[in-house]
Structure formats: C-alpha cells, structure tokens
Amino acid sequence: MWTGVREEMGASFAHNATGRSLLILKTARTGSTWLCDLLNQRGMHVTQEALLNWERDCPHFSDNCEEYFTKEGRLGWVTQSLLRPMPKTPYAIDGSCAKLAKQSKHTKSVELASEDLGDKVKETACAVKAQCRPPYTHESCNDVAGCFNQRVSQKGCYNVEMRQPSITGISFNFQSSLGDAKNAACLSEPSCASKQAAMLREATEAVEKTGIEVLTLAQVRSNLLRWGVSRMYHSGSSNAVKYNKDGKITVKDLENMLKGPVSRVEPLLQMAGEVSENAQIIFYEDIARSPDKSTEAIAKAYQMSKTEAKETGTDVSPSANEQNQHPGGLEEYIENLDEIREQTQKSQPCVFRMTQTSKDDTLILPLVKRDGQVKIDLSRDCCVADRNVYLRSVADYVKAGLEC
C-alpha cells in the first residue's frame, strides 16, 4: 500500500485555503465533461477526465511518462488534485504550451491548435513553465488560473482573475488505472474494484487529515435505455443494433445494448460507497433538469462549511459535446420502439418505464444485494425520483432502490 501521501501534504496544503475538495468518480456518456465545465465556470477548479489515455498521449509531450504511469505517479496526481488547483494531467501544460507555440516533440503525431489559443494568461503561464514531475509538489504543477484543467488543447482560462477557487477537485473514470497494472486489468471483478476503492480511500483520508474536507461524488445516468442509445450512436458500430439509413437504429439485442450501462452502474455504486460512507451521487438527468441547481447542490453538500457557486471571469468557450445527448423522444432514434415497449411491459417493467419518462427524469433503479454486491433487477419496476432533489447520498439511493 502506498504511503507517500502524507509526506507531500506540507508543500501543498496552503494552496487550498477553502478547505474543500471534490473527487468525482464517473463513467462515459453521462455528462461528465458538461458538469466539469459548469463547475469551472462557477468559481471551482475541477480537472476533467484526468486519468484518461496517459499511455497514448503522454509520449507526445514528455520524456517523464514512465514516472507518471507508476502507482505513485497516478495516485499522487489524484492526491495533489484534491489539495490544490492542478492541470488536467502532469503533461497538460507541456502539451498545451507546445500547441500554443505550434510545436511538439512529435509534430507529425499531434494535431496542432489554432491561433486563438494564444490568450495573455496562458502565454504568461507557458513562459514560466517547468516540468511537473512526481511527487507534483513543485509550483510548476499549479494551475490557479484554470488554463489547463478541462482539456490539453483548452482555449482560454477559467479563472483569469486568479481568484482562489471555492472548491478544487478531480474527475475521472472510476475504472481508470491507478498505477497497479495487475489490479487495473481486473476492475470488473468485485475484489479488484474494492482494492481500487481502498487506494482512493487512503488518499482521501490522508487529505482530510490536513483539515480539507473531501466530497466523493459518483456521476452516472439512471435511464439505462437512453444511455444505451447514446452509447450506440457514439460507437457507430455494435452487434446489438442495426444502423439505418434514416439515422435511426433498430434494436436487435436489447439485453446486449443494456449490458454496458448496467455493468457500470453496479460497480460504481459499490465503489463510491467503499471510498466514503458519505459519498453522494448525481445523475445526468439531474444536470439536464437544472444545471444551476445541480451545481449549487454540490457546493452546499459539504458538512464542515458551505460555499456558493459563483461565476468567475473566464474566457473559455463551453463545449456542447455532452449537453444535448439526443434531446428528442426515443421514437426519434429507435425504429422499433413499439416492439421494445411490447417486449418489456410485463417482463422488464423498469425498461418499459424508461421508454415513457422524460429525458430529465431521474430514476431510482430496482436493486438487490447478491453476495454483498449491489445488482440491478430489471424484472421489477423502477421509481421516478423527486424532481426537486439534485443530489442524494449513495447509501440513500441504494436503500431506495432496494425498496422500490
């Protein structure tokens, strides 16, 4: 078990004067990019998809990649991102500045950015940059202005006024590698997921011993059918559906299409609860119902002290990538929707309800516990959650799912 977290606290604690941090455990196609952008627009500093594709992208910008890929490198990055405003990745500043200068280590392999990256704040940051290396406590790893936290090729900065962020944090796929290759290869198994949770718990508890409160937040989607549709369109290739010339899909294997969403909700609920007994959960539907109330609910979820979500001076243009995932009714996307309704009305009433509810209705999925693990039971009906609630504890959600 890695024990280097506590040794690094002294060098970084002063940077998080607010005493609040956010650990978001998420999965794809759930509005995670959207949520981070909303938080960063409102005076917080949360790095988006911070552990994704390090092996693929890092060699283009850094000679220190092997250091980053270790357990100390990855888990240390999570820890430091909870302590102070950090870039998206250890090589994000190098990557972004290289694009700003229209040069990189391997220019043929990297798509260079356009001229409008060259804002004054980022130019200043690039002029004084130095290599950010483990244990990441050097000032060169800071990103107070929020110029490098959303994407490597980010255009502009979120915090041009250089205010102290009200909350600092990190968002990444809950099944991302934390540097233990053997464990990363088996994260679909409960024992490996629990080991991953234990590593994250150790990191968050060490951060909290410095006086910083860490809020663990699971982010997912409750309408598994709509989520499945989004995944099918995003992948563009699946044996579960037929892609029609009119842009719609015909579902050939409903169970297979729902397998991906189900296989992510179940372990995420389990892992989040193991990382923190006070873990909270937010759904794509909550954000779609009200971005303002969702972000405000996160800001007010801290036990020790409350904060407000206030906009800061920013020159970042928000991405619409995750904001409007198939906004119309399901009949606009599924050719054989009536067939699915007939197929599921009696045998899978929860799936049938998913064909009837609005896109922004949060569902309480029907849950059971088998061998100590949380499982979804689609043979039961699901319940529609209170539309005035935008955040709930994982424990309360699981309890409601068991009773639904």
Side-chain angles (χ1 to χ4, degrees), residues 127-168:
V128 298
K129 76 179 185 69
Q131 289 259 325
C132 180
R133 303 175 63 179
Y136 309 122
T137 55
H138 192 271
E139 292 296 321
S140 63
C141 298
N142 287 351
D143 183 26
V144 177
C147 298
F148 311 98
N149 59 329
Q150 186 80 1
R151 54 188 64 87
V152 172
S153 57
Q154 180 177 313
K155 299 178 182 179
C157 304
Y158 282 99
N159 188 13
V160 295
E161 299 168 2
M162 302 287 284
R163 295 180 186 174
Q164 175 67 36
S166 58
I167 292 170
T168 61

Side-chain angles (χ1 to χ4, degrees), residues 14-257:
H15 292 286
N16 192 335
T18 63
R20 291 180 292 276
S21 292
L22 182 63
L23 172 66
I24 302 179
L25 304 176
K26 45 78 66 174
T27 185
R29 312 304 296 169
T30 59
S32 55
T33 300
W34 186 18
L35 178 60
C36 283
D37 184 65
L38 290 169
L39 296 174
N40 289 329
Q41 291 278 357
R42 288 160 170 78
M44 307 178 204
H45 181 105
V46 181
T47 56
Q48 188 270 333
E49 198 67 275
L51 298 181
L52 180 67
N53 294 329
W54 281 22
E55 287 85 357
R56 184 194 73 185
D57 298 339
C58 180
H60 296 309
F61 306 116
S62 176
D63 295 319
N64 303 315
C65 298
E66 293 305 317
E67 291 182 274
Y68 301 151
F69 300 160
T70 65
K71 186 176 178 181
E72 290 78 7
R74 289 183 185 268
L75 199 55
W77 190 255
V78 173
T79 302
Q80 289 299 317
S81 297
L82 295 174
L83 286 164
R84 57 186 174 138
M86 297 283 278
K88 177 183 174 79
T89 65
Y91 54 86
I93 297 179
D94 288 314
S96 190
C97 292
K99 290 187 175 188
L100 186 64
K102 289 200 169 185
Q103 61 184 10
S104 68
K105 184 182 175 185
H106 303 296
T107 54
K108 291 183 180 180
S109 303
V110 180
E111 182 181 349
L112 297 176
S114 58
E115 294 286 354
D116 57 359
L117 261 174
D119 60 88
K120 299 277 185 198
V121 177
K122 184 170 288 186
E123 285 177 353
T124 301
C126 290
V128 298
K129 76 179 185 69
Q131 289 259 325
C132 180
R133 303 175 63 179
Y136 309 122
T137 55
H138 192 271
E139 292 296 321
S140 63
C141 298
N142 287 351
D143 183 26
V144 177
C147 298
F148 311 98
N149 59 329
Q150 186 80 1
R151 54 188 64 87
V152 172
S153 57
Q154 180 177 313
K155 299 178 182 179
C157 304
Y158 282 99
N159 188 13
V160 295
E161 299 168 2
M162 302 287 284
R163 295 180 186 174
Q164 175 67 36
S166 58
I167 292 170
T168 61
I170 183 171
S171 170
F172 55 88
N173 191 304
F174 75 104
Q175 292 182 322
S176 298
S177 171
L178 293 178
D180 185 330
K182 185 178 179 180
N183 195 68
C186 62
L187 283 174
S188 59
E189 300 176 12
S191 60
C192 297
S194 291
K195 183 177 178 181
Q196 179 105 328
M199 288 191 283
L200 291 171
R201 186 183 185 109
E202 179 192 15
T204 57
E205 287 180 345
V207 170
E208 289 194 319
K209 285 185 177 180
T210 70
I212 296 174
E213 180 181 0
V214 180
L215 178 68
T216 298
L217 178 66
Q219 183 182 358
V220 74
R221 194 163 182 165
S222 68
N223 192 316
L224 307 181
L225 183 60
R226 280 186 172 272
W227 189 6
V229 168
S230 177
R231 285 167 51 84
M232 294 301 99
Y233 273 92
H234 183 66
S235 70
S237 175
S238 172
N239 293 328
V241 302
K242 173 188 174 184
Y243 295 88
N244 304 325
K245 292 182 179 179
D246 62 359
K248 292 185 179 182
I249 58 173
T250 298
V251 179
K252 300 189 298 181
D253 188 342
L254 180 62
E255 182 179 355
N256 189 18
M257 191 175 85

Side-chain angles (χ1 to χ4, degrees), residues 332-346:
E332 297 182 32
Y333 312 107
I334 302 178
E335 187 73 50
N336 57 333
L337 182 60
D338 288 340
E339 178 186 332
I340 290 175
R341 283 173 172 158
E342 183 178 352
Q343 173 187 340
T344 61
Q345 187 169 9
K346 292 183 179 179

